[in-house]
Structure formats: structure tokens, C-alpha cells
């Protein structure tokens, strides 16, 4: 499917706006990276040490327009600078390590929630007004109304601290050396269960509600009636004719709530001390690490725009009417 030039223009304007806001937002925070590093030194903050820090991160004291030009030059050359908190590591190194864990967490939660939410929504629509629908649908509304921070803190206290069924934090056992073996992957799986289940209730509730509404409309279409007239089983009609065509609004909704998913992952990673982008953003904010903050916010913005762009393409491939409209 071809994306219209107007649609591409909207993405370009959104990206440009995000770049400007991404540059300005960290600089609205009080203090500077130099002040944070000097404060960390404490009594060791000799005049020579302070001058060395200013010499290394002197661009912070430059005029704002010079900083912005350096920022744009860095983006053009994929040079996001050096991290203040994790010096001498570069921003790319810091974010590359954290991105892997966040992608693993978010993608796992989305796939799990999409499967559960779509199935529950389809069955609720098929049996609307029945006992299953009257129980599941109100419960789904409750699920996406609960903030992730409450789910994270509750699950951490109940299942990790009190019952000790799961680890209290980290992405894997710190005593293990990362490697391609069952011991390491098993540890990663156990440490990811609570963070994934923390992100899932909101998504399950959202997908169930959207799928149910879309499915109810689809069940009134002629091709569903024809499927029933052919004598096909309820499962075949429900999922082959109904759920398959009701998925389009669910995909659209996924793109719209992706920003909320990233927001929930930030809280989840902080609560569980999970080494993803959320925890990295938190520690960078405390350290006034402008390069990391800028790089991460831009990365999350581009991920959200990219997901919307991908959904536009998938939507057009699934629905031939949009494919024709894009020509």
C-alpha cells in the first residue's frame, strides 16, 4: 500500500516537533549535568576536578542556539554524545543495552495481552448479554482503569515480597553470567513474569473492550449470516468470519495506546528495578544526564511514530478499501 504524501507530511511534522521538544524539555529542569557531577564528588570536588568536568561537558554552558545546532549535527551523524551518568559510555551504548530489555518486556506484554483480550472480546460479543459477557466485560473496564503503578506495587509486595514466588527485581539473577543456556533464559523468564503481568491488565482490558465493540458490529454483516447458513461451526464463524474482520480497530487502538504502554513500562521498570529504558530515564533524570534523556525521549517518540506508520501499512494491506483510497 502507498502512503499518501499528506500522511507522510504529518509524520515528518510530528518528528520535527518531537525533536524540538526533546531538546527543550531536559533544559527546563533545574540544575545541570555539571552541577550533578560536582555534587557527586562531594569533598573531592577540587577546583581542578571541577574545571576538568566543565572542560569535558562544556557544551552545557554554551548559548542555547549553539547547543541546538550541535544537537542537530549529532542527530545527523547518529552521534548522541557521551553519557554523564555512565561516563565514559556513549548514549548509543547505554540506550542499546536498555532498549533490548524494554523491547522484550513490551512486546511480550503486547502479544500476551492481544491474544487474551481478542479472545475474550470475541467470545463476549458472540455471547453478548449472557453470563460470560456480564462478568468479563465489566471486569475488563476495571482492568484498564487501574494505573500500572498500583498493579506493580501490589504484585511486588504480594507475589515477590510476601509469598516469594518470584524475584523482587532485576532482569535476571545477578549471580549468573549472561549466555545462551537454559539457566540464564530460565532466570530471564522468571524475572520477566511480574513486569509482564503488571503491563498486561491495562492492555487486556483495552483490547477486550475494543474487540467486543468491533465484533458486535461485524456479527451483523451479511457474510457472517452466510457463514452460519453454510452450516459452519460456531468457532469457524466466530473467528474465521467475525474476529478476523473485527481486528482492524484493535490494531488501530494498539497504535494509539502505544505511548501509554511505554509510560506503563517506565513505572514498571522503576518498581522492579528492571534495566530497561524506563529505569535508564529515571536514573538519567536524577543525574541531569541531558544526552541520555534527549536520546531516550527521541527513541521512544520515533518508536511510537514508527508503530503508527507500520499499523497504517498493515491496515491498508488487510482492508482493500483503504488500499484503493491511498492511490
Amino acid at each position: 500500500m502507498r502512503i499518501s504524501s499528506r500522511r507522510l507530511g504529518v509524520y515528518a511534522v510530528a518528528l520535527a516537533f518531537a525533536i524540538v521538544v526533546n531538546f527543550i524539555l531536559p533544559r527546563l529542569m533545574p540544575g545541570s549535568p555539571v552541577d550533578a557531577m560536582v555534587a557527586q564528588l562531594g569533598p573531592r570536588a577540587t577546583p581542578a576536578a571541577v574545571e576538568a568536568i566543565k572542560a569535558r561537558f562544556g557544551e552545557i554552558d554554551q548559548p542555547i542556539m549553539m547547543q541546538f545546532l550541535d544537537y542537530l549535527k549529532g542527530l545527523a551523524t547518529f552521534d548522541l554524545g557521551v553519557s554523564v551518568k555512565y561516563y565514559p559510555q556513549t548514549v548509543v551504548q547505554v540506550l542499546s543495552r536498555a532498549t533490548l530489555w524494554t523491547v522484550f518486556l513490551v512486546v511480550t506484554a503486547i502479544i500476551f495481552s492481544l491474544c487474551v483480550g481478542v479472545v475474550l472480546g470475541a467470545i463476549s460479543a458472540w455471547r453478548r448479554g449472557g453470563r460470560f459477557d456480564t462478568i468479563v466485560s465489566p471486569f475488563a473496564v476495571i482492568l484498564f482503569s487501574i494505573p500500572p503503578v498500583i498493579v506493580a506495587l501490589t504484585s511486588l509486595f504480594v507475589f515477590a515480597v510476601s509469598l516469594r514466588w518470584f524475584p523482587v527485581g532485576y532482569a535476571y539473577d545477578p549471580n549468573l553470567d549472561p549466555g545462551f543456556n537454559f539457566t540464564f533464559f530460565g532466570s530471564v523468564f522468571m524475572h520477566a513474569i511480574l513486569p509482564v503481568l503488571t503491563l498486561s491488565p491495562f492492555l487486556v482490558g483495552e483490547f477486550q473492550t475494543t474487540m467486543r465493540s468491533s465484533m458486535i458490529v461485524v456479527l451483523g454483516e451479511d457474510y457472517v449470516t452466510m457463514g452460519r447458513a453454510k452450516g459452519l461451526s460456531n468457532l469457524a464463524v466466530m473467528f474465521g468470519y467475525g474476529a478476523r474482520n473485527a481486528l482492524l480497530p484493535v490494531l488501530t487502538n494498539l497504535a494509539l495506546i502505544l505511548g501509554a504502554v511505554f509510560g506503563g513500562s517506565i513505572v514498571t521498570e522503576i518498581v522492579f528495578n528492571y534495566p530497561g529504558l524506563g529505569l535508564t530515564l529515571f536514573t538519567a533524570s536524577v543525574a541531569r544526564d541531558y544526552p541520555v534523556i534527549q536520546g531516550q525521549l527521541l527513541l521512544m517518540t520515533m518508536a511510537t511514530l514508527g508503530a503508527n506508520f507500520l499499523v497504517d501499512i498493515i491496515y491498508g494491506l488487510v482492508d482493500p478499501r483503504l488500499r484503493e483510497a491511498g492511490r
Side-chain angles (χ1 to χ4, degrees):
M1 173 190 175
R2 295 183 298 175
I3 304 297
S4 65
S5 57
R6 176 181 295 182
R7 191 66 174 170
L8 291 175
V10 170
Y11 283 113
V13 171
L15 180 60
F17 180 77
I19 289 175
V20 175
V21 173
N22 185 43
F23 172 79
I24 296 175
L25 192 60
R27 286 162 175 78
L28 297 178
M29 302 170 61
S32 70
V34 174
D35 297 333
M37 293 191 72
V38 171
Q40 289 178 359
L41 290 177
R44 297 175 297 170
T46 62
V50 173
E51 288 301 322
I53 294 174
K54 288 184 177 181
R56 182 63 186 86
F57 299 98
E59 67 274 5
I60 302 298
D61 299 326
Q62 290 180 351
I64 193 69
M65 286 305 300
M66 292 297 297
Q67 294 184 42
F68 185 64
L69 291 177
D70 290 340
Y71 171 63
L72 293 180
K73 186 186 300 182
L75 291 180
T77 58
F78 299 98
D79 180 12
L80 301 180
V82 179
S83 170
V84 175
K85 172 69 175 177
Y86 303 99
Y87 180 83
Q89 298 183 52
T90 64
V91 174
V92 173
Q93 290 174 330
V94 174
L95 295 184
S96 298
R97 182 175 61 249
T99 299
L100 293 176
W101 292 112
T102 295
V103 169
F104 167 69
L105 194 66
V106 170
V107 170
T108 303
I110 288 177
I111 293 176
F112 172 77
S113 303
L114 190 62
C115 294
V116 175
V118 165
V119 171
L120 292 179
I123 297 176
S124 296
W126 186 264
R127 302 179 179 178
R128 62 185 182 278
R131 181 177 300 179
F132 183 88
D133 183 36
T134 56
I135 295 175
V136 171
S137 295
F139 186 65
V141 176
I142 296 175
L143 285 180
F144 72 74
S145 301
I146 302 176
V149 63
I150 295 179
V151 180
L153 292 174
T154 303
S155 58
L156 177 66
F157 177 76
V158 174
F159 299 107
V161 177
S162 299
L163 299 177
R164 298 184 179 181
W165 289 355
F166 302 100
V168 295
Y170 304 108
Y172 55 89
D173 189 346
N175 296 320
L176 294 176
D177 294 326
F180 289 92
N181 53 73
F182 288 108
T183 303
F184 175 71
F185 287 129
S187 180
V188 170
F189 174 78
M190 289 299 297
H191 282 74
I193 290 178
L194 283 184
V196 167
L197 293 182
T198 296
L199 287 174
S200 297
F202 165 77
L203 293 172
V204 169
E206 191 73 29
F207 292 147
Q208 191 277 342
T209 303
T210 306
M211 185 64 183
R212 180 183 182 275
S213 301
S214 177
M215 184 81 166
I216 289 176
V217 175
V218 169
L219 290 179
E221 298 291 340
D222 293 337
Y223 54 80
V224 176
T225 304
M226 181 175 294
R228 286 171 169 168
K230 289 181 179 179
L232 299 177
S233 64
N234 288 336
L235 284 178
V237 176
M238 186 193 313
F239 292 103
Y241 284 77
R244 180 181 179 182
N245 294 282
L247 275 175
L248 296 179
V250 178
L251 293 177
T252 302
N253 198 37
L254 171 60
L256 295 175
I257 67 174
L258 193 61
V261 176
F262 276 120
S265 69
I266 291 176
V267 173
T268 301
E269 290 173 4
I270 293 174
V271 171
F272 290 100
N273 199 25
Y274 202 82
L277 292 174
L279 186 61
T280 302
L281 179 62
F282 175 74
T283 55
S285 300
V286 173
R288 303 294 188 267
D289 193 344
Y290 289 168
V292 171
I293 296 174
Q294 289 176 169
Q296 175 155 341
L297 292 179
L298 183 63
L299 178 63
M300 297 175 72
T301 301
M302 293 181 64
T304 303
L305 291 175
N308 280 269
F309 183 75
L310 183 61
V311 168
D312 275 345
I313 296 177
I314 295 175
Y315 211 113
L317 293 175
V318 174
D319 193 338
R321 293 171 299 180
L322 293 179
R323 192 184 315 155
E324 295 296 329
R327 294 179 180 177

